[in-house]
Amino acid sequence: VDMLSVCIALIVLLVSAITFGAHAHQHGGAHVDKAETVLLAGIAGLITYMIVGGLSGYFEDKLEEEEEREHEEEERAARTGKPKSAVALAGKAAFFMFLYLEVLDASFSFDGVIGAFAITNDIVLMALGLGIGAMYVRSLTVYLVRQGTLDDYVYLEHGAHYAIGALAVILLVTIQYEIHEIITGLVGVTLIAWSFFSSVRRNRALAAG
């Protein structure tokens, strides 16, 4: 886990707890001191992030070790003429690959659930949105990756990162101020659309030049 990102997150968390958390917005328009709650929730999120990141790095290293070991076994078998235990090696590599992918999927699920709170607190809408994301958006993402769309529209990835950053800022601001869901949704859509049209303009400029 990148320690710099953790340090930045702790600083942002501390500032948010002191500023926004001290005057947290409640239903009905009242404001109460929720600095302790904000700090506790933020620290719990950071711990979860570090655990998931640590497990992801561990399984990734294990997977690389198994692949290197399999490669060494192949070279040794080629020199000696003895068959290698392909089943055992492939089984270990597949096992660590499975665990690695499961950890990555869990991290993406955390992002989706937490990000949904920046848009709405309605559990039904969150469930519908996450369900659509699981069934459609991920399939669309895989399709775009296979088609090389991200290579053609180079700024789409940057736009997605900016949209996630904007949602994070909005999520912090909504601790104290109420922001309408339409504004939150339009911010993300605007950033993605801007990155798309910037990519199109870049491609046209390259084609013309």
Side-chain angles (χ1 to χ4, degrees):
V1 179
D2 187 3
M3 287 296 106
L4 178 60
S5 62
V6 174
C7 292
I8 294 174
L10 283 173
I11 294 172
V12 173
L13 175 61
L14 182 60
V15 173
S16 300
I18 295 174
T19 55
F20 300 124
H23 307 282
H25 175 78
Q26 298 289 300
H27 293 290
H31 290 80
V32 295
D33 188 357
K34 291 287 185 178
E36 183 178 347
T37 303
V38 172
L39 278 175
L40 181 61
I43 292 173
L46 279 175
I47 292 174
T48 304
Y49 166 76
M50 295 177 69
I51 291 174
V52 172
L55 288 175
S56 176
Y58 172 77
F59 289 130
E60 187 176 5
D61 292 339
K62 281 292 185 181
L63 183 60
E64 291 177 356
E65 290 177 4
E66 291 299 327
E67 290 177 349
E68 291 177 0
R69 189 176 305 171
E70 183 177 358
H71 183 65
E72 292 174 357
E73 287 290 334
E74 289 177 352
E75 292 181 347
R76 189 179 298 112
R79 289 195 303 266
T80 60
K82 296 180 180 180
K84 64 183 182 68
S85 56
V87 176
L89 289 174
K92 288 182 179 179
F95 175 70
F96 285 115
M97 174 65 79
F98 170 75
L99 293 178
Y100 177 58
L101 292 177
E102 285 298 313
V103 171
L104 285 182
D105 185 67
S107 65
F108 291 144
S109 298
F110 285 139
D111 292 343
V113 174
I114 295 172
F117 280 102
I119 299 176
T120 180
N121 290 327
D122 192 328
I123 300 299
V124 176
L125 291 178
M126 289 173 59
L128 288 174
L130 293 173
I132 294 173
M135 292 185 295
Y136 177 74
V137 176
R138 290 191 182 183
S139 300
L140 179 62
T141 302
V142 172
Y143 172 78
L144 293 177
V145 170
R146 289 177 177 175
Q147 294 296 319
T149 304
L150 293 179
D151 295 330
D152 296 332
Y153 302 97
V154 294
Y155 297 132
L156 272 181
E157 184 177 359
H158 302 80
H161 289 159
Y162 283 125
I164 293 172
L167 287 177
V169 172
I170 291 173
L171 187 61
L172 292 176
V173 173
T174 51
I175 297 175
Q176 182 175 355
Y177 303 101
E178 185 175 3
I179 299 178
H180 200 277
E181 291 86 352
I182 295 178
I183 297 176
T184 306
L186 286 177
V187 168
V189 172
T190 301
L191 289 171
I192 296 295
W194 188 11
S195 64
F196 174 76
F197 287 115
S198 297
S199 300
V200 172
R201 186 171 56 185
R202 171 188 176 275
N203 293 339
R204 289 177 179 175
L206 290 176

